[in-house]
Amino acid sequence: MSTKEQRRQKKLAKKRSKEIAKRKEIAREKNSLQSLAGQIKAAAGGPVDRCLISDMLMDPDSKFGSIFISRKMRDGRVAIVKFLIDGLCMGVKDVAAFVCFPADQSRIVEEMSESEPMREASPAKARSIVEGAIAFAKQFEIEPHPDYRKVEPIWGDIDKSEFTEELAFGDQEGKPRYVNGPYDSVLFQQQIREKLQTHAGEGNYNIITMMSERDLSPYVGLGEGEDWSDDPELDADIDEDVIDGKVVSNPNS
């Protein structure tokens, strides 16, 4: 084989290698879009469409409410993530995520605002609140909802340093205050108590019980290591859910 032919063969091999690599990348991207988590990640590069914060969340006595953010996708739909934030103690208590068309988003926002007044806010403020609440809860070894890491890419290139106001978490004294939700089992409540006792210390936290053990009786008797979130009717995994307006997980407040 001549030198000229060898060079030609090398160029062809290099070209084929690039084509194969490109096809693999396209296949990986296509496969990733089969899951909702993959679609959220893909949407992170799109422009922010809506960003809303609950009035209740900004109430210094409540600090409990939702943050809603959506991004435009290349196919004309929007990827939406709704965070349920407990700024008094738990951080990100629940997560819902879905992909839908803009008209569906308008309906969702309207229905949501009927039960929970929302107002427009900067994406930087929304990210600062969510990540600040997570950091506060982590002081007491309280982790965000398990689905948070799957939807975290929604923040994309949002720079939270653009929001310069100081945020305060915990009660008015800066202490964690745990208020149980209707789906918090007795076991779950006990785990939170132990974490606060261990990491905050006696007298440095408050607990308010909104329901009696009798009210929570369906959840009594869970075995070691079990939790209410193991019930598929209460908590559907993001990767297993489908798109077009189907909520990933049920709010637990």
Side-chain angles (χ1 to χ4, degrees):
M1 184 182 296
S2 66
T3 302
K4 184 177 180 180
E5 180 62 20
Q6 287 178 342
R7 287 198 296 267
R8 191 180 76 84
Q9 291 294 335
K10 286 182 179 179
K11 287 182 180 180
L12 288 174
K14 187 175 182 180
K15 183 179 180 180
R16 284 196 296 269
S17 178
K18 287 183 178 180
E19 290 175 347
I20 292 172
K22 186 176 181 180
R23 286 199 297 269
K24 287 182 177 179
E25 179 62 28
I26 292 173
R28 281 195 294 269
E29 182 177 348
K30 185 177 180 179
N31 288 335
S32 70
L33 292 176
Q34 298 305 307
S35 71
L36 185 54
Q39 292 180 76
I40 295 296
K41 186 176 181 179
V48 173
D49 188 46
R50 300 290 302 273
C51 185
L52 306 168
I53 294 178
S54 166
D55 287 345
M56 292 175 57
L57 185 56
M58 303 314 297
D59 183 334
D61 293 323
S62 171
K63 296 182 183 178
F64 189 93
S66 301
I67 286 180
F68 177 101
I69 185 169
S70 66
R71 284 183 179 269
K72 295 180 179 179
M73 300 181 71
R74 287 184 293 181
D75 63 3
R77 295 179 300 169
V78 288
I80 296 170
V81 177
K82 181 183 176 184
F83 305 95
L84 182 62
I85 305 299
D86 175 5
L88 289 174
C89 181
M90 300 292 292
V92 176
K93 193 165 186 182
D94 205 357
V95 172
F98 41 99
V99 173
C100 64
F101 290 99
D104 295 319
Q105 175 182 232
S106 298
R107 175 182 54 79
I108 292 167
V109 170
E110 183 178 349
E111 292 176 353
M112 181 176 63
S113 298
E114 290 178 358
S115 58
E116 185 179 12
M118 309 285 288
R119 65 180 61 189
E120 297 282 349
S122 71
K125 180 177 182 178
R127 183 171 190 173
S128 294
I129 292 173
V130 171
E131 294 186 352
I134 290 174
F136 180 77
K138 278 193 172 182
Q139 297 179 79
F140 317 109
E141 297 297 318
I142 298 173
E143 295 294 327
H145 188 278
D147 285 338
Y148 176 75
R149 298 306 173 195
K150 298 176 184 178
V151 301
E152 187 178 15
I154 195 71
W155 299 122
D157 59 356
I158 295 171
D159 184 2
K160 66 179 181 180
S161 67
E162 294 178 1
F163 177 73
T164 57
E165 294 180 29
E166 186 175 346
L167 297 171
F169 299 95
D171 63 19
Q172 294 184 358
E173 296 180 340
K175 298 178 181 179
R177 181 196 299 166
Y178 171 60
V179 182
N180 70 290
Y183 300 120
D184 291 355
S185 69
V186 174
L187 174 61
F188 180 80
Q189 293 179 51
Q190 182 59 35
Q191 290 172 340
I192 297 302
R193 287 174 182 270
E194 291 174 356
K195 288 182 178 182
L196 293 176
Q197 178 64 34
T198 300
H199 301 286
E202 189 70 36
N204 294 318
Y205 65 91
N206 295 294
I207 291 179
I208 298 177
T209 302
M210 300 300 291
M211 286 186 171
S212 67
E213 290 189 10
R214 180 178 179 180
D215 293 326
L216 292 169
S217 59
Y219 304 102
V220 175
L222 292 174
E224 184 69 25
E226 291 183 293
D227 188 60
W228 61 269
S229 60
D230 293 326
D231 187 336
E233 294 184 358
L234 297 178
D235 187 21
D237 185 84
I238 282 179
D239 286 332
E240 294 177 355
D241 214 334
V242 293
I243 59 175
D244 298 332
K246 295 198 183 229
V247 177
V248 173
S249 57
N250 295 322
N252 61 349
S253 68

